[in-house]
Amino acid sequence: MADRSSARKEGGIIETIRTIFWALVIAGIFRTLFFQPFWIPSGSMKDTLLIGDFLFVNKMAYGYSRHSCPFSACPITGRILASEPERGDVVVFRHPTRNVDFIKRLIGMPGDTVQLQGGRVYINGQEVPQEPNGTFTEIKEPQGPQRLVPACANDPVPPGGNCEYQRFTETLPNGVSHDVLNIRDGWIADDTPVFTVPEGQYFFMGDNRDNSEDSRFGAITGGLGFVPAEYLIGRADRIMFSSAGSSLLYFWTWRGDRFFKAVN
């Protein structure tokens, strides 16, 4: 009787281990093929995305497949875009030269010309309209694990003071509207040459225009440059969780108003 009970118990443990194993395998496949978690590490996409926002990247948004290797640790090769990204999408992609993931907004499509004059975007020679949309305000304090301190339009601001930015609503040629922030006029990338986006590549910018390393800066000089289609990972659709502290365990820093918020 004792032997039978022991065997039953051992069988239950083995079954539990087997169940956990297959659950992890399925979760790994689900993550690899469909969604990828992403933490926002910097303020380049404020106020659309804040430092400490956690989201899942929809890897099937553009219907690509990776033929050479199905795992995220493998080189990004062999991807085929079954559907093209849309202008205005917030996209996670692999930096073409640094092998790290970035998140920016898609501004320029293949064949477009893109230029900035006085901080305003021109696409194919036409100015992208902006409308004032009040002020974005946050506390001037260290943010996220890197303890980044924001630059403010109203600097100098003491620690704990209100850090303010001019906010505008920008409407792209396809009708997609989104907010952008301005810290200062006359920033180094407020005026650019005309960029012509090559076929099969894209031009990205951050919504926090004066605090974003994006396609305005060439890869040859350490910037981003144009991003080839095969480096796109997926589209950011919804914020799942958000923490203003240096660790997600600091529950008193959670931003409850950003849970399950759509990314526009």
Side-chain angles (χ1 to χ4, degrees):
M1 186 72 115
D3 289 344
R4 189 180 306 168
S5 176
S6 177
R8 190 181 301 115
K9 183 177 181 181
E10 182 178 341
I13 293 174
I14 292 174
E15 184 62 31
T16 298
I17 293 174
R18 184 182 292 118
T19 300
I20 293 173
F21 170 77
W22 284 113
L24 291 173
V25 169
I26 292 170
I29 293 173
F30 188 80
R31 175 195 182 279
T32 299
L33 296 180
F34 302 107
F35 295 97
Q36 176 174 317
F38 190 85
W39 283 96
I40 303 301
S42 73
S44 68
M45 282 295 294
K46 291 178 181 177
D47 65 343
T48 303
L49 298 171
L50 305 181
I51 294 176
D53 283 350
F54 173 79
L55 48 84
F56 281 104
V57 180
N58 182 356
K59 299 176 73 172
M60 296 304 294
Y62 309 129
Y64 63 71
S65 62
R66 185 189 297 178
H67 298 296
S68 61
C69 184
F71 301 105
S72 59
C74 300
I76 297 182
T77 57
R79 289 182 170 178
I80 297 175
L81 295 181
S83 59
E84 190 167 48
E86 295 184 8
R87 195 192 311 274
D89 283 358
V90 176
V91 181
V92 173
F93 53 88
R94 185 68 51 84
H95 191 288
T97 60
R98 296 189 194 172
N99 200 34
V100 295
D101 292 346
F102 270 39
I103 184 167
K104 305 289 181 186
R105 190 177 298 276
L106 176 53
I107 298 295
M109 305 293 288
D112 281 345
T113 62
V114 181
Q115 184 181 26
L116 270 83
Q117 296 181 18
R120 296 296 188 93
V121 179
Y122 289 75
I123 298 176
N124 298 323
Q126 299 297 313
E127 182 179 354
V128 176
Q130 288 185 355
E131 294 293 332
N133 187 16
T135 301
F136 172 66
T137 304
E138 62 180 350
I139 303 300
K140 185 159 189 178
E141 60 185 0
Q143 299 176 352
Q146 301 180 48
R147 314 308 290 153
L148 301 176
V149 178
C152 315
N154 59 328
D155 270 334
V157 175
N162 286 334
C163 184
E164 298 179 351
Y165 308 75
Q166 295 174 299
R167 180 167 55 196
F168 299 87
T169 297
E170 186 173 83
T171 303
L172 297 169
N174 61 343
V176 173
S177 295
H178 61 97
D179 287 344
V180 297
L181 301 181
N182 180 54
I183 300 175
R184 65 185 66 87
D185 295 329
W187 189 54
I188 186 174
D190 277 355
D191 293 278
T192 72
V194 176
F195 300 99
T196 300
V197 185
E199 289 301 318
Q201 302 190 43
Y202 299 91
F203 188 97
F204 288 93
M205 292 179 64
D207 291 348
N208 191 1
R209 291 288 165 79
D210 294 342
N211 188 27
S212 175
E213 183 182 346
D214 49 40
S215 293
R216 291 173 288 179
F217 303 93
I220 195 171
T221 61
L224 175 61
F226 303 118
V227 179
E230 60 265 28
Y231 286 85
L232 305 188
I233 294 174
R235 186 181 65 217
D237 290 331
R238 189 171 297 275
I239 299 164
M240 305 304 295
F241 175 86
S242 185
S243 173
S246 58
S247 170
L248 63 85
L249 299 178
Y250 299 163
F251 63 88
W252 57 90
T253 68
W254 293 355
R255 306 181 183 106
D257 62 330
R258 297 187 67 78
F259 287 21
F260 308 111
K261 181 179 180 181
V263 176
N264 297 316

